[in-house]
């Protein structure tokens, strides 16, 4: 399984974004930017528990997350209240149901 990722610098601090072919799968708030490699490996493993770690491919793609970075930037300064991004939520049936309601 392949994931794209990027470390985003925002007004809220560093965020680690992870996406699959369908869209954004995970957005993680980091306590500091330098912990991203460890957190990336952990998040990727949690995002695809059915896939052996050796079969997870992680590709850095800062340009691919530009729309997310732009929308987050506008959100954090009060210029945006909704996001227009492809999402790829994965979780239990209950979690996915809750996330869809929150949208």
């Amino acid at each position: 399984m392949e994931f794209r990722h990027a470390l985003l610098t925002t007004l809220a601090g560093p965020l680690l974004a992870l996406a699959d072919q369908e869209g954004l799968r995970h957005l993680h708030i980091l306590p500091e930017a330098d912990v991203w490699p460890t957190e990336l490996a952990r998040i990727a493993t949690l995002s695809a528990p059915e896939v052996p770690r050796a079969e997870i491919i992680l590709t850095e793609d800062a340009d691919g997350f530009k729309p997310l970075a732009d929308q987050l930037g506008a959100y954090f300064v009060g210029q945006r209240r909704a996001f227009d991004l492809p999402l790829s939520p994965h979780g239990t049936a209950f979690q996915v149901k809750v996330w869809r309601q929150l949208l």
Side-chain angles (χ1 to χ4, degrees), residues 6-101:
L7 179 63
L8 308 175
T9 302
T10 73
L11 292 175
L15 300 177
L16 180 59
L18 186 75
D20 60 18
Q21 310 83 293
E22 297 173 29
L24 183 64
R25 197 165 198 180
H26 194 93
L27 187 61
H28 187 72
I29 300 168
L30 298 174
E32 50 192 44
D34 63 349
V35 301
W36 76 266
T38 304
E39 286 301 300
L40 176 61
R42 187 181 71 77
I43 293 165
T45 302
L46 290 174
S47 293
E50 71 285 359
V51 178
R53 175 65 183 104
E55 294 179 20
I56 296 175
I57 300 166
L58 299 169
T59 305
E60 189 169 1
D61 182 16
D63 291 339
F65 287 95
K66 184 159 177 17
L68 171 61
D70 292 345
Q71 290 184 37
L72 284 170
Y75 173 80
F76 288 131
V77 296
Q79 296 174 346
R80 176 178 279 275
R81 293 183 51 102
F83 293 84
D84 179 20
L85 300 164
L87 303 177
S88 180
H90 288 263
T92 65
F94 176 75
Q95 287 172 321
V96 173
K97 185 176 181 180
V98 169
W99 296 329
R100 291 196 196 285
Q101 288 297 315

